[in-house]
Amino acid sequence: MPLPFLTADRAFDASDDVALPFDDHDQWRRPYRPGPWRVGTAAVLLLLASFVLIAAMIIVFAGAFSGALLCLSVGGVLVVVALRMLRMGVWVSRNGLRKVGLLTTTTVPWAKASAVRTVQQPVRWLGLPRTVQGQALVLARTGPGEPMALLTDHNADFLSRVEAFERAADTVEAWWSEYRQG
């Protein structure tokens, strides 16, 4: 049962896995949809946060305010982590490229990006320490420094979605080729 009113792109069929349209190139946009692993993990964290917040309410009614404060803070942290997980990924705009992680955000202007290419290399599986052989979209910056892996085909957005990874990598490369000159 498709629910088209819940999708961000009402003009497209919900079953199609196409990139979202870009109207304003000055706003930061993610050139791909978040993957099922990322959305599922965030949903489980939000569900856990709801239980913790309900427990905090029960503890308040029982009269133990210090325990309720602890539960409230744990629930708040779970909500913040879940929302930050949904923001994680690569964002593009006319100004440059932004890689959002759980705790850090790195912005690279297009003028400082010397190359964006897909390479075969060991990549982390779902962000865990275990590495497997896979593809990564790598950003090489002008000047000294290591290339930065932007997307991998084994991260939470593209695990078991090879076509979506290739389309997202092509889209980011197209943004780089369009805006690297100016």
Side-chain angles (χ1 to χ4, degrees):
M1 176 173 112
L3 300 173
F5 58 87
L6 295 178
T7 61
D9 53 342
R10 294 184 184 119
F12 295 100
D13 186 14
S15 64
D16 290 340
D17 194 20
V18 296
L20 297 175
F22 298 111
D23 296 328
D24 186 9
H25 284 234
D26 289 327
Q27 291 183 352
W28 291 101
R29 304 282 182 160
R30 185 190 333 235
Y32 56 91
R33 291 188 173 138
W37 285 92
R38 183 172 314 282
V39 173
T41 304
V44 168
L45 282 176
L46 288 173
L47 182 66
L48 181 62
S50 70
F51 289 135
V52 171
L53 292 173
I54 289 172
M57 184 183 66
I58 293 170
I59 292 171
V60 163
F61 289 146
F65 295 111
S66 62
L69 186 62
L70 178 67
C71 281
L72 186 65
S73 62
V74 168
V77 167
L78 287 173
V79 169
V80 167
V81 168
L83 293 177
R84 185 67 181 187
M85 279 186 63
L86 291 174
R87 296 257 325 147
M88 287 173 58
V90 174
W91 298 74
V92 292
S93 81
R94 189 183 315 263
N95 301 324
L97 183 134
R98 179 174 287 171
K99 182 179 181 187
V100 178
L102 188 62
L103 300 175
T104 61
T105 299
T106 306
T107 303
V108 179
W110 292 120
K112 294 192 179 192
S114 62
V116 176
R117 63 186 181 279
T118 304
V119 296
Q120 289 281 336
Q121 67 180 28
V123 296
R124 296 171 76 185
W125 183 76
L126 286 176
L128 299 172
R130 178 178 174 223
T131 59
V132 294
Q133 189 65 27
Q135 292 185 37
L137 182 68
V138 177
L139 170 74
R141 298 183 231 185
T142 57
E146 291 283 321
M148 180 171 54
L150 301 173
L151 306 170
T152 67
D153 61 347
H154 286 81
N155 69 5
D157 289 322
F158 302 111
L159 188 64
S160 301
R161 295 175 54 210
V162 177
E163 297 85 15
F165 170 77
E166 291 171 357
R167 188 173 43 253
D170 291 342
T171 303
V172 173
E173 289 173 357
W175 276 76
W176 173 74
S177 66
E178 182 178 348
Y179 291 113
R180 67 180 169 179
Q181 285 86 11

